Amino acid sequence: MKILLADDHPLFRSGVRNLIQTTDDLQVIGEAATGEEAVEMAVSLLPDVIVMDVRMPGINGIEATRIIREKLPDMKILIVTMLKNDKSVFTAMQMGARGYVLKDAGEMELLHSIRMVERGGAVFSSDIAARMMHYFMMPQQSQPANPALSELTGRESEILELISDGYTNLQIASRLQLSAKTVANHVTNILNKLQVADRHEAKKLLSKSRDMFGSEESE
């Protein structure tokens, strides 16, 4: 089974590669450090399964998943990340991912998840599965702290998450490989859509939404 690893952390890629090398049925055929590389290598290498992180420089893993699935509708993608917020989980599933596993999963759980996805199954970490059950069992009248959060684009949501983590515009630009002007424009759009005055208020709004729908663990 041919595996493509897509993660911007070399140590994590190395750990997964070493784990896979202990098996007889799995083989790493490529490693991508950005979303763009993941798309290019998916098309050129045609792996059986892509192990995809969410937060990467350039386009993020969820957007890369969408692009890959548009180009290769049958491609099987397993999200492996530290992010456990509801928006990331459901957006990843909507974009075509077949599983969502947290990076703190055990080695056997990760290998089982890769094999399960390759066989056409869907797989979730126990914590993610519990959160999904909780989400669908919530009263229908429950609403997000601000409905405008759902109006943000994928890139705007990613930048808002980084703002919440304390990143400056220049740091966000460096991490996402964007120009400072592009980031500033995105921040302006975010503030306008959320109808807040500044970054501090946007951060408070996101924090309030997390409190209502569950906490998020950042990478």
Coordinates of all heavy atoms in Angstrom, one line a residue, residues 125-200:
S125 N -10.8 9.2 15.4 CA -10.4 9.0 16.8 C -11.5 9.0 17.7 O -12.6 9.6 17.4 CB -9.4 10.2 17.2 OG -8.2 10.1 16.5
S126 N -11.4 8.3 18.8 CA -12.5 8.1 19.8 C -13.0 9.5 20.2 O -14.2 9.7 20.4 CB -12.1 7.3 20.9 OG -11.0 7.8 21.6
D127 N -12.1 10.4 20.5 CA -12.5 11.7 20.9 C -13.3 12.5 19.9 O -14.2 13.2 20.2 CB -11.2 12.6 21.3 CG -11.5 13.9 21.8 OD1 -12.0 14.0 23.0 OD2 -11.4 14.9 21.1
I128 N -12.8 12.4 18.6 CA -13.5 13.0 17.5 C -14.9 12.4 17.3 O -15.9 13.1 17.1 CB -12.7 12.9 16.2 CG1 -11.4 13.7 16.3 CG2 -13.5 13.4 15.0 CD1 -11.6 15.1 16.6
A129 N -15.0 11.1 17.4 CA -16.3 10.4 17.3 C -17.3 10.9 18.4 O -18.5 11.1 18.1 CB -16.1 8.9 17.4
A130 N -16.8 11.1 19.6 CA -17.6 11.5 20.7 C -18.1 12.9 20.5 O -19.2 13.3 20.7 CB -16.8 11.4 22.0
R131 N -17.2 13.8 19.9 CA -17.6 15.2 19.6 C -18.6 15.2 18.5 O -19.6 16.0 18.6 CB -16.3 16.0 19.2 CG -15.3 16.2 20.3 CD -14.0 16.8 19.8 NE -14.3 18.1 19.3 CZ -14.3 19.2 20.0 NH1 -14.1 19.1 21.3 NH2 -14.5 20.4 19.5
M132 N -18.5 14.4 17.5 CA -19.5 14.3 16.5 C -20.9 13.9 17.0 O -21.9 14.5 16.7 CB -19.1 13.4 15.4 CG -17.8 13.9 14.6 SD -17.3 12.7 13.3 CE -18.6 12.9 12.1
M133 N -20.9 12.9 17.9 CA -22.1 12.5 18.5 C -22.8 13.6 19.3 O -24.0 13.8 19.2 CB -21.9 11.2 19.4 CG -21.5 10.0 18.6 SD -22.9 9.4 17.6 CE -24.1 9.0 18.9
H134 N -21.9 14.3 20.1 CA -22.4 15.4 20.9 C -23.0 16.5 20.0 O -24.1 17.1 20.3 CB -21.3 16.0 21.7 CG -21.6 17.2 22.4 ND1 -22.4 17.2 23.6 CD2 -21.3 18.5 22.2 CE1 -22.6 18.5 24.0 NE2 -21.9 19.3 23.2
Y135 N -22.3 16.8 18.9 CA -22.8 17.8 18.0 C -24.2 17.5 17.4 O -25.1 18.3 17.4 CB -21.8 18.0 16.8 CG -22.2 19.0 15.8 CD1 -21.8 20.3 15.9 CD2 -22.9 18.6 14.6 CE1 -22.2 21.3 15.0 CE2 -23.3 19.6 13.7 CZ -22.9 20.9 13.9 OH -23.3 21.8 12.9
F136 N -24.4 16.3 17.0 CA -25.6 15.9 16.3 C -26.7 15.7 17.4 O -27.9 15.7 17.0 CB -25.5 14.6 15.5 CG -24.7 14.9 14.2 CD1 -23.5 14.3 14.0 CD2 -25.2 15.7 13.2 CE1 -22.8 14.5 12.8 CE2 -24.6 15.9 12.1 CZ -23.3 15.3 11.9
M137 N -26.4 15.5 18.6 CA -27.4 15.4 19.7 C -27.8 16.7 20.3 O -28.7 16.8 21.1 CB -26.9 14.5 20.8 CG -26.7 13.0 20.3 SD -25.9 12.0 21.6 CE -27.1 12.0 22.9
M138 N -27.1 17.8 19.9 CA -27.4 19.1 20.5 C -28.8 19.6 20.0 O -29.2 19.3 18.8 CB -26.4 20.2 20.0 CG -25.0 20.0 20.7 SD -23.8 21.2 20.1 CE -24.6 22.7 20.6
P139 N -29.5 20.3 20.8 CA -30.8 20.9 20.3 C -30.7 21.7 19.1 O -29.7 22.4 18.9 CB -31.3 21.7 21.5 CG -30.5 21.2 22.7 CD -29.2 20.7 22.2
Q140 N -31.6 21.5 18.2 CA -31.6 22.2 16.9 C -31.6 23.7 17.0 O -31.0 24.4 16.2 CB -32.8 21.8 16.0 CG -32.7 20.4 15.5 CD -31.5 20.2 14.6 OE1 -31.3 20.9 13.7 NE2 -30.8 19.1 14.9
Q141 N -32.1 24.3 18.1 CA -32.2 25.7 18.3 C -30.9 26.3 18.7 O -30.7 27.5 18.7 CB -33.3 26.1 19.3 CG -33.0 25.7 20.7 CD -33.7 24.3 21.0 OE1 -33.9 23.5 20.0 NE2 -34.0 24.0 22.2
S142 N -29.9 25.5 19.1 CA -28.6 26.0 19.5 C -28.0 26.6 18.3 O -27.9 26.0 17.2 CB -27.8 24.9 20.1 OG -28.3 24.4 21.3
Q143 N -27.4 27.8 18.4 CA -26.7 28.5 17.3 C -25.3 28.9 17.7 O -25.0 29.0 18.9 CB -27.5 29.8 17.0 CG -28.9 29.5 16.4 CD -28.9 28.7 15.1 OE1 -28.0 28.9 14.3 NE2 -29.9 27.9 14.9
P144 N -24.4 29.1 16.8 CA -23.1 29.6 17.1 C -23.1 31.0 17.8 O -24.1 31.7 17.7 CB -22.4 29.7 15.8 CG -23.3 29.0 14.8 CD -24.6 28.9 15.4
A145 N -22.1 31.3 18.5 CA -22.0 32.6 19.1 C -22.2 33.8 18.1 O -22.8 34.8 18.4 CB -20.7 32.8 19.8
N146 N -21.8 33.6 16.9 CA -22.0 34.6 15.8 C -22.2 33.8 14.5 O -21.2 33.2 14.1 CB -20.8 35.5 15.8 CG -21.1 36.7 14.8 OD1 -21.8 36.5 13.8 ND2 -20.6 37.9 15.2
P147 N -23.3 33.8 13.9 CA -23.5 33.1 12.6 C -22.6 33.5 11.6 O -22.3 32.7 10.6 CB -25.0 33.5 12.2 CG -25.6 33.9 13.5 CD -24.6 34.5 14.3
A148 N -22.0 34.7 11.7 CA -21.1 35.2 10.7 C -19.8 34.3 10.6 O -19.1 34.3 9.6 CB -20.7 36.7 10.9
L149 N -19.5 33.6 11.6 CA -18.3 32.7 11.6 C -18.5 31.7 10.5 O -17.4 31.4 9.9 CB -18.2 32.0 12.9 CG -17.6 32.8 14.1 CD1 -17.8 32.0 15.4 CD2 -16.2 33.2 13.9
S150 N -19.7 31.3 10.2 CA -19.9 30.3 9.1 C -19.7 30.9 7.8 O -19.7 30.2 6.7 CB -21.2 29.6 9.3 OG -22.3 30.6 9.1
E151 N -19.7 32.3 7.7 CA -19.6 33.0 6.4 C -18.1 33.2 6.0 O -17.9 33.6 4.9 CB -20.3 34.3 6.5 CG -21.8 34.2 6.8 CD -22.5 33.4 5.8 OE1 -22.2 33.6 4.6 OE2 -23.4 32.6 6.1
L152 N -17.2 32.9 6.9 CA -15.8 33.1 6.6 C -15.3 32.0 5.6 O -15.8 30.9 5.6 CB -14.9 33.0 7.8 CG -15.2 34.0 8.9 CD1 -14.2 33.8 10.1 CD2 -15.1 35.4 8.4
T153 N -14.5 32.4 4.7 CA -13.9 31.4 3.7 C -12.9 30.5 4.5 O -12.5 30.8 5.7 CB -13.1 32.1 2.6 OG1 -12.0 32.8 3.2 CG2 -14.0 33.1 1.9
G154 N -12.4 29.5 3.9 CA -11.5 28.6 4.5 C -10.2 29.3 4.9 O -9.7 29.2 6.0
R155 N -9.7 30.2 4.0 CA -8.5 31.0 4.3 C -8.7 32.0 5.5 O -7.9 32.1 6.4 CB -8.0 31.7 3.1 CG -6.8 32.6 3.3 CD -5.6 31.8 3.7 NE -4.9 31.3 2.6 CZ -3.9 30.4 2.7 NH1 -3.6 29.9 3.9 NH2 -3.3 29.9 1.6
E156 N -9.9 32.6 5.5 CA -10.2 33.6 6.5 C -10.3 32.9 7.9 O -9.9 33.4 8.9 CB -11.5 34.3 6.2 CG -11.4 35.3 5.1 CD -12.7 35.8 4.5 OE1 -13.7 35.3 4.9 OE2 -12.7 36.7 3.7
S157 N -11.0 31.7 7.9 CA -11.1 30.9 9.1 C -9.7 30.5 9.6 O -9.4 30.6 10.9 CB -11.9 29.6 8.9 OG -13.2 30.0 8.6
E158 N -8.8 30.1 8.7 CA -7.4 29.7 9.1 C -6.7 30.9 9.7 O -6.0 30.8 10.8 CB -6.7 29.2 7.9 CG -5.3 28.7 8.2 CD -4.6 28.1 7.0 OE1 -5.0 28.4 5.9 OE2 -3.7 27.3 7.2
I159 N -6.8 32.1 9.1 CA -6.2 33.3 9.6 C -6.8 33.7 11.0 O -6.0 34.1 11.9 CB -6.3 34.5 8.6 CG1 -5.4 34.1 7.4 CG2 -5.9 35.8 9.2 CD1 -5.5 35.1 6.3
L160 N -8.1 33.6 11.1 CA -8.7 33.9 12.4 C -8.2 33.0 13.5 O -8.0 33.4 14.7 CB -10.2 33.8 12.3 CG -11.0 34.0 13.6 CD1 -10.7 35.4 14.1 CD2 -12.5 33.9 13.4
E161 N -8.0 31.7 13.2 CA -7.4 30.8 14.2 C -6.0 31.2 14.6 O -5.7 31.2 15.8 CB -7.4 29.3 13.6 CG -8.7 28.7 13.2 CD -9.5 28.2 14.4 OE1 -8.9 28.3 15.6 OE2 -10.6 27.7 14.3
L162 N -5.2 31.7 13.6 CA -3.9 32.1 14.0 C -3.9 33.4 14.8 O -3.1 33.6 15.7 CB -3.1 32.3 12.7 CG -2.8 31.0 11.9 CD1 -2.1 31.3 10.6 CD2 -1.9 30.1 12.7
I163 N -4.8 34.3 14.4 CA -5.0 35.5 15.2 C -5.3 35.1 16.7 O -4.7 35.7 17.6 CB -6.1 36.4 14.7 CG1 -5.7 37.0 13.3 CG2 -6.5 37.5 15.7 CD1 -6.8 37.8 12.6
S164 N -6.2 34.1 16.8 CA -6.6 33.7 18.2 C -5.4 33.1 18.9 O -5.3 33.2 20.2 CB -7.7 32.7 18.1 OG -8.1 32.2 19.4
D165 N -4.4 32.5 18.2 CA -3.2 31.9 18.8 C -2.2 33.0 19.1 O -1.1 32.6 19.6 CB -2.7 30.8 17.9 CG -3.5 29.6 17.8 OD1 -4.4 29.4 18.7 OD2 -3.4 28.8 16.9
G166 N -2.5 34.2 18.7 CA -1.5 35.3 19.1 C -0.6 35.7 18.0 O 0.4 36.5 18.2
Y167 N -0.8 35.2 16.7 CA 0.1 35.5 15.6 C -0.1 36.9 15.2 O -1.3 37.4 15.1 CB -0.1 34.6 14.5 CG 0.5 33.2 14.6 CD1 -0.1 32.3 15.5 CD2 1.7 32.8 13.9 CE1 0.5 31.0 15.7 CE2 2.2 31.5 14.1 CZ 1.6 30.6 15.0 OH 2.1 29.4 15.1
T168 N 1.0 37.7 14.8 CA 0.8 39.0 14.2 C 0.6 38.8 12.7 O 0.8 37.6 12.1 CB 2.1 39.8 14.4 OG1 3.2 39.1 13.7 CG2 2.5 39.9 15.9
N169 N 0.3 39.8 12.0 CA 0.1 39.7 10.5 C 1.4 39.2 9.8 O 1.3 38.4 8.9 CB -0.3 41.1 9.9 CG -1.8 41.4 10.1 OD1 -2.4 40.7 10.9 ND2 -2.2 42.4 9.5
L170 N 2.5 39.7 10.3 CA 3.8 39.3 9.6 C 4.1 37.8 9.9 O 4.5 37.1 9.0 CB 4.9 40.2 10.1 CG 5.0 41.6 9.6 CD1 6.2 42.4 10.3 CD2 5.1 41.6 8.1
Q171 N 3.8 37.4 11.1 CA 4.0 36.0 11.4 C 3.0 35.1 10.6 O 3.4 34.0 10.1 CB 3.8 35.7 12.9 CG 4.9 36.3 13.8 CD 4.6 36.3 15.2 OE1 3.4 36.4 15.6 NE2 5.6 36.1 16.1
I172 N 1.8 35.6 10.4 CA 0.8 34.8 9.6 C 1.2 34.7 8.2 O 1.2 33.7 7.5 CB -0.6 35.5 9.7 CG1 -1.2 35.3 11.2 CG2 -1.6 34.8 8.8 CD1 -2.4 36.1 11.4
A173 N 1.7 35.9 7.7 CA 2.2 35.9 6.3 C 3.3 34.9 6.1 O 3.4 34.2 5.1 CB 2.6 37.4 6.0
S174 N 4.3 34.9 7.0 CA 5.4 34.0 6.9 C 4.9 32.5 7.0 O 5.4 31.7 6.2 CB 6.4 34.3 8.1 OG 7.5 33.3 8.0
R175 N 4.0 32.2 7.9 CA 3.6 30.8 8.1 C 2.8 30.3 6.9 O 3.0 29.2 6.4 CB 2.7 30.7 9.3 CG 2.2 29.3 9.6 CD 1.4 29.2 10.9 NE 0.9 27.8 11.1 CZ 1.6 26.9 11.7 NH1 2.8 27.1 12.2 NH2 1.1 25.7 11.9
L176 N 2.0 31.2 6.3 CA 1.1 30.8 5.2 C 1.7 31.1 3.8 O 1.1 30.8 2.8 CB -0.3 31.4 5.3 CG -1.1 31.1 6.6 CD1 -2.4 31.8 6.5 CD2 -1.2 29.6 6.8
Q177 N 2.9 31.7 3.8 CA 3.6 32.1 2.6 C 2.8 33.0 1.8 O 2.6 32.8 0.6 CB 4.0 30.8 1.8 CG 5.0 29.9 2.6 CD 5.4 28.7 1.7 OE1 4.9 28.5 0.7 NE2 6.4 28.0 2.3
L178 N 2.2 34.0 2.4 CA 1.4 35.1 1.8 C 2.2 36.4 2.0 O 3.0 36.5 2.8 CB 0.0 35.2 2.4 CG -0.8 33.9 2.3 CD1 -2.1 34.1 3.1 CD2 -1.2 33.6 0.9
S179 N 1.8 37.4 1.2 CA 2.3 38.8 1.4 C 1.6 39.4 2.6 O 0.5 39.0 2.9 CB 2.1 39.6 0.2 OG 0.7 39.9 0.0
A180 N 2.3 40.3 3.3 CA 1.7 41.0 4.4 C 0.4 41.8 4.0 O -0.5 41.8 4.8 CB 2.7 42.0 5.1
K181 N 0.5 42.3 2.8 CA -0.7 43.0 2.3 C -1.9 42.1 2.1 O -3.0 42.5 2.5 CB -0.4 43.7 1.0 CG -1.6 44.5 0.4 CD -1.2 45.2 -0.9 CE -2.3 46.0 -1.4 NZ -2.0 46.7 -2.7
T182 N -1.7 40.9 1.6 CA -2.8 39.9 1.5 C -3.3 39.6 2.8 O -4.6 39.5 3.0 CB -2.3 38.7 0.7 OG1 -1.8 39.0 -0.6 CG2 -3.4 37.6 0.6
V183 N -2.5 39.3 3.8 CA -3.0 39.0 5.1 C -3.8 40.1 5.7 O -4.8 39.9 6.3 CB -1.8 38.6 6.1 CG1 -2.3 38.5 7.5 CG2 -1.1 37.4 5.6
A184 N -3.3 41.4 5.5 CA -4.0 42.6 6.0 C -5.4 42.7 5.4 O -6.4 43.0 6.1 CB -3.2 43.8 5.8
N185 N -5.5 42.4 4.1 CA -6.8 42.4 3.4 C -7.7 41.4 4.0 O -8.9 41.6 4.2 CB -6.6 42.2 1.9 CG -6.0 43.4 1.3 OD1 -6.0 44.5 1.8 ND2 -5.3 43.2 0.1
H186 N -7.2 40.2 4.3 CA -8.0 39.1 4.8 C -8.5 39.5 6.2 O -9.6 39.3 6.6 CB -7.2 37.8 4.9 CG -7.1 37.0 3.7 ND1 -8.2 36.6 3.0 CD2 -6.0 36.5 3.0 CE1 -7.8 35.9 1.9 NE2 -6.5 35.9 1.9
V187 N -7.6 40.1 7.0 CA -8.0 40.5 8.4 C -9.1 41.5 8.3 O -10.1 41.5 9.1 CB -6.8 41.1 9.2 CG1 -7.2 41.7 10.5 CG2 -5.7 40.0 9.4
T188 N -9.0 42.5 7.4 CA -10.0 43.5 7.2 C -11.4 42.8 6.9 O -12.4 43.2 7.4 CB -9.7 44.5 6.1 OG1 -8.5 45.2 6.5 CG2 -10.8 45.5 5.9
N189 N -11.3 41.9 6.0 CA -12.6 41.1 5.6 C -13.1 40.4 6.8 O -14.4 40.3 7.0 CB -12.3 40.2 4.4 CG -12.0 40.9 3.1 OD1 -12.4 42.0 2.9 ND2 -11.3 40.2 2.2
I190 N -12.3 39.8 7.6 CA -12.7 39.0 8.8 C -13.5 40.0 9.7 O -14.6 39.7 10.2 CB -11.5 38.3 9.4 CG1 -11.0 37.2 8.6 CG2 -11.9 37.8 10.8 CD1 -9.7 36.7 9.0
L191 N -12.8 41.1 10.0 CA -13.4 42.0 11.0 C -14.8 42.6 10.4 O -15.7 42.7 11.2 CB -12.5 43.2 11.2 CG -11.1 42.9 11.8 CD1 -10.3 44.1 12.1 CD2 -11.3 42.1 13.1
N192 N -14.8 42.8 9.1 CA -16.1 43.3 8.5 C -17.2 42.2 8.6 O -18.3 42.5 9.0 CB -15.9 43.7 7.1 CG -15.1 45.0 7.0 OD1 -15.0 45.8 7.9 ND2 -14.4 45.2 5.8
K193 N -16.9 41.0 8.3 CA -17.9 39.9 8.3 C -18.4 39.6 9.7 O -19.5 39.4 9.9 CB -17.3 38.6 7.7 CG -17.1 38.7 6.2 CD -16.6 37.4 5.6 CE -16.5 37.4 4.1 NZ -16.0 36.1 3.5
L194 N -17.4 39.7 10.7 CA -17.8 39.4 12.1 C -18.4 40.7 12.7 O -18.9 40.6 13.9 CB -16.6 38.9 12.9 CG -15.9 37.7 12.4 CD1 -14.8 37.3 13.3 CD2 -17.0 36.5 12.3
Q195 N -18.3 41.8 12.1 CA -18.8 43.1 12.6 C -18.2 43.4 14.0 O -18.9 43.7 15.0 CB -20.4 43.0 12.7 CG -21.1 42.8 11.4 CD -22.6 42.8 11.5 OE1 -23.1 43.0 12.5 NE2 -23.2 42.6 10.3
V196 N -16.9 43.3 14.0 CA -16.2 43.6 15.2 C -15.2 44.7 14.9 O -14.8 44.9 13.7 CB -15.5 42.4 15.8 CG1 -16.5 41.4 16.3 CG2 -14.5 41.8 14.8
A197 N -14.7 45.4 15.9 CA -13.9 46.6 15.7 C -12.4 46.2 15.5 O -11.7 46.9 14.8 CB -14.0 47.6 16.9
D198 N -11.9 45.2 16.2 CA -10.5 44.9 16.1 C -10.2 43.4 16.3 O -11.1 42.6 16.5 CB -9.7 45.7 17.1 CG -10.3 45.6 18.5 OD1 -10.7 44.5 18.9 OD2 -10.2 46.5 19.3
R199 N -8.9 43.0 16.2 CA -8.5 41.7 16.4 C -8.9 41.1 17.7 O -9.2 39.9 17.9 CB -7.0 41.6 16.2 CG -6.5 42.0 14.8 CD -5.0 42.3 14.9 NE -4.2 41.2 15.1 CZ -3.6 40.5 14.1 NH1 -3.8 40.9 12.8 NH2 -2.9 39.4 14.3
H200 N -8.8 41.9 18.8 CA -9.1 41.5 20.1 C -10.5 41.0 20.2 O -10.8 40.0 20.8 CB -8.8 42.6 21.1 CG -9.1 42.2 22.5 ND1 -8.4 41.2 23.2 CD2 -10.1 42.7 23.4 CE1 -8.9 41.1 24.5 NE2 -9.9 42.0 24.6

